Amino acid sequence: MSADVPTLYEWAGGKPAFGRLTEAFYQRVRRDELLAPVFAGMPADHPRSVATWLAEVFGGPPDYTERHGGYPHMLGKHKGLAITEAQRFRWVTLIALAADDAGLPSDPEFRSALLAYIEWGTRLALANSQPDAHPPPKAPVPRWGWGEAPPYQP
């Protein structure tokens, strides 16, 4: 891919876009009968932390790694939660709806890349949250790109 292709972070609108995304997402979560109990005790800054994670994953600055410790910290947030497939799928559904709420780009290339990571990440979170899981204790924060289709520019 050429150097002039923006990162997903840039294409989305940078840090403010991911902040809007997670705020819209957690507004939906708080009203959701399946996910609200999972997040009932979340700290007030949780949406901001998730926005920082997503921003780094999609090509933004390494703020999650520098402020929170990267992958090991994220792994610790899921350990022992025993996430169900129904909860995982609802997470995917609500974040897709929140992307619309937050005004993220709606072009198919961006949404495909966004949801590809969300699918991948939630499936890892589900597996790593099980009581008998033994995930690797250290790994880099993933850096997600455009995949097969670069951004569409008319």
Side-chain angles (χ1 to χ4, degrees):
M1 204 161 291
S2 69
D4 60 339
V5 173
T7 64
L8 294 165
Y9 172 81
E10 293 165 334
W11 190 260
K15 184 178 180 178
F18 289 97
R20 290 191 316 271
L21 173 65
T22 57
E23 283 300 323
F25 172 71
Y26 284 105
Q27 285 177 11
R28 286 179 174 276
V29 165
R30 288 179 190 101
R31 297 186 310 261
D32 187 84
E33 71 280 353
L34 187 58
L35 291 183
V38 176
F39 292 95
M42 75 177 165
D45 67 342
H46 184 73
R48 190 171 341 122
S49 295
V50 174
T52 302
W53 169 267
L54 292 173
E56 184 170 337
V57 165
F58 289 114
D63 293 342
Y64 192 90
T65 297
E66 292 171 1
R67 293 184 194 155
H68 302 289
Y71 169 84
H73 185 263
M74 179 60 73
L75 181 62
K77 294 294 182 183
H78 295 95
K79 188 172 182 160
L81 287 178
I83 296 168
T84 67
E85 173 55 28
Q87 290 167 328
R88 184 207 70 81
F89 187 75
R90 183 72 54 87
W91 208 100
V92 172
T93 302
L94 295 185
I95 201 88
L97 293 168
D100 290 337
D101 298 342
L104 266 59
S106 62
D107 58 278
E109 296 82 8
F110 175 78
R111 290 301 177 95
S112 175
L114 174 70
L115 290 177
Y117 169 73
I118 298 301
E119 274 289 330
W120 180 83
T122 58
R123 289 175 188 279
L124 283 178
L126 180 137
N128 292 338
S129 75
Q130 302 311 308
D132 60 347
H134 299 289
K138 291 185 178 181
V141 172
R143 299 295 272 188
W144 214 258
W146 289 99
E148 293 301 317
Y152 172 75
Q153 296 182 11

